[in-house]
Amino acid sequence: MELRRIQYFVTLAEQLHFSHAADDLYISQSSLSYHIAELELELGVRLFNRDKRQVTLTKMGLELLPIAKEILRQADLLKATAERKNAFSEQNMELNICLDDSSQRYDLLGIDSAIARMRTAFPDADIKLVFSSFGNIIAGLKNYSYDVGFVMLRYGEKLPSAYNVIPIFEDVLSIVSIFDMNFSTLPKLFESTPLFLLKDDHRWANQITALFRDMNIFPDIRWENNFAYMLSRVTTGEGLSILPRSEFQAESKNRLNLKAINFSGKKSKIFLCAAWMEGNYNQGILPLVNSARDANNSEKEPDDSFANLIISPENNSIKSNT
């Protein structure tokens, strides 16, 4: 039974007018009629007598109205008590956040703004932010060194079921260069042009080489120590690289000669996810995760790529080469 339908019942009982009650509830009259009918169906009784001239409570409606009001009062009490307890906890709240260092632009993904909003909303909280490798984040969450981690998961990767995993942002990998290119010209281009990737990020490299292998392309891979050096190799025409589409779009605003083509298919997808241990009840986790999702307007229903990512048997954990 939905609490909002109980509220609709009480409001209509007080107004005895569908149009006025709908205005008070900020919903349409047809929506109010629908929810009242659904509540009556669920309760198995008629709450209102309706005709063209007036709306009145039935005998059963009169009997149930005080109970409905008490339910709403108790719900308000529940919320107020939780907020009061939560406010006390927030005064001493510590929140340790760790970001996956394989992503370069968390400002594009709503994480920077979400953390900033947390600092504003909880000025007395001790919010700490660090960057680390994927493997270190997973280990740190397990031993509670970190409360929440934002990790980049590749298609097919899974976390053990002891971790809560919430999708924040979906991206796709792009091949970037300053050359005119398409998938038919890539084999010829790679005969004389190397592919630059970041050193020590083996999970990323494994996904990329698998995508090229499916295309029967085996690029000459060169390793760079940091993102800026890698991108400079590309913008000076020395080679190609791979970036998430969101990062290419940001970089191309200032590097007008940068071009990209997107990989296609589920294997080219990457997912920014929030992860935390099932047993971690830190008060700051859910507000932060919700803020990050709001920053990305995460209204789209996750597809089966997300389902495959999140639903994981105990024995199907990620093995990292970090």
Side-chain angles (χ1 to χ4, degrees):
M1 184 177 298
E2 296 185 25
L3 191 63
R4 61 173 175 164
R5 287 179 175 165
I6 299 175
Q7 180 65 68
Y8 294 172
F9 165 46
V10 171
T11 301
L12 182 57
E14 292 172 344
Q15 295 280 359
L16 292 177
H17 193 289
F18 271 92
S19 180
H20 295 167
D23 288 343
D24 284 353
L25 294 165
Y26 298 100
I27 62 174
S28 67
Q29 186 173 333
S30 61
S31 179
L32 177 59
S33 297
Y34 168 78
H35 285 293
I36 292 297
E38 287 293 306
L39 181 60
E40 290 178 327
L41 185 63
E42 189 172 5
L43 293 173
V45 298
R46 181 173 290 277
L47 299 171
F48 296 95
N49 295 311
R50 311 164 177 83
D51 59 38
K52 293 182 178 180
R53 291 178 297 177
Q54 62 180 352
V55 177
T56 59
L57 281 163
T58 63
K59 181 179 178 181
M60 186 59 70
L62 285 168
E63 290 184 13
L64 293 179
L65 181 58
I67 300 174
K69 290 182 175 180
E70 179 62 18
I71 290 173
L72 294 178
R73 191 187 71 80
Q74 291 293 334
D76 288 341
L77 179 61
L78 175 66
K79 183 178 180 181
T81 302
E83 289 176 347
R84 187 168 61 252
K85 295 289 186 181
N86 197 36
F88 175 79
S89 300
E90 288 160 4
Q91 293 176 5
N92 303 305
M93 184 176 73
E94 294 183 5
L95 184 64
N96 294 295
I97 307 165
C98 193
L99 304 185
D100 189 340
D101 59 14
S102 68
S103 179
Q104 307 299 319
R105 296 294 302 271
Y106 282 99
D107 58 317
L108 303 176
L109 309 179
I111 306 305
D112 285 7
S113 59
I115 295 172
R117 284 195 295 272
M118 284 292 292
R119 296 188 191 279
T120 301
F122 308 110
D124 296 325
D126 184 11
I127 300 176
K128 298 176 182 176
L129 174 64
V130 297
F131 289 79
S132 193
S133 67
F134 173 83
N136 287 341
I137 293 175
I138 299 306
L141 293 173
K142 187 174 182 179
N143 65 27
Y144 296 95
S145 297
Y146 308 131
D147 296 302
V148 60
F150 289 93
V151 294
M152 300 299 299
L153 297 183
R154 280 61 172 165
Y155 177 78
E157 288 185 322
K158 300 176 187 288
L159 293 182
S161 59
Y163 294 83
N164 292 305
V165 181
I166 298 294
I168 303 295
F169 185 84
E170 177 183 317
D171 214 335
V172 64
L173 294 177
S174 300
I175 307 168
V176 297
S177 77
I178 62 171
F179 309 117
D180 291 325
M181 56 182 176
N182 55 54
F183 283 110
S184 63
T185 62
L186 279 179
K188 184 68 174 178
L189 184 59
F190 274 120
E191 287 180 5
S192 58
T193 311
L195 177 69
F196 287 95
L197 298 178
L198 285 176
K199 186 179 180 181
D200 296 329
D201 194 350
H202 298 288
R203 291 169 53 248
W204 186 271
N206 289 342
Q207 182 186 19
I208 292 169
T209 54
L211 288 168
F212 280 119
R213 187 167 56 248
D214 289 344
M215 301 163 57
N216 201 32
I217 296 176
F218 303 91
D220 174 21
I221 297 179
R222 310 280 178 87
W223 303 99
E224 269 299 344
N225 291 321
N226 65 55
F227 180 80
Y229 292 164
M230 182 185 76
L231 198 57
S232 291
R233 300 290 190 186
V234 175
T235 55
T236 58
E238 188 174 346
L240 295 81
S241 190
I242 307 296
L243 293 180
R245 181 66 180 177
S246 60
E247 291 186 14
F248 161 74
Q249 291 172 335
E251 293 294 340
S252 62
K253 291 178 180 179
N254 296 319
R255 305 170 191 266
L256 301 181
N257 61 341
L258 203 59
K259 304 171 184 178
I261 53 177
N262 295 337
F263 285 105
S264 60
K266 292 180 179 180
K267 292 182 180 179
S268 66
K269 291 182 178 182
I270 54 177
F271 308 92
L272 173 66
C273 296
W276 68 98
M277 289 302 293
E278 183 72 33
N280 191 329
Y281 301 110
N282 189 299
Q283 299 283 345
I285 294 175
L286 292 182
L288 174 62
V289 173
N290 287 331
S291 181
R293 286 174 61 83
D294 290 344
N296 282 286
N297 297 315
S298 302
E299 297 175 355
K300 186 180 75 170
E301 288 294 321
D303 62 13
D304 61 346
S305 301
F306 273 134
N308 290 333
L309 184 87
I310 295 167
I311 302 170
S312 170
E314 282 288 353
N315 61 354
N316 202 5
S317 60
I318 292 178
K319 294 179 174 60
S320 172
N321 294 321
T322 54

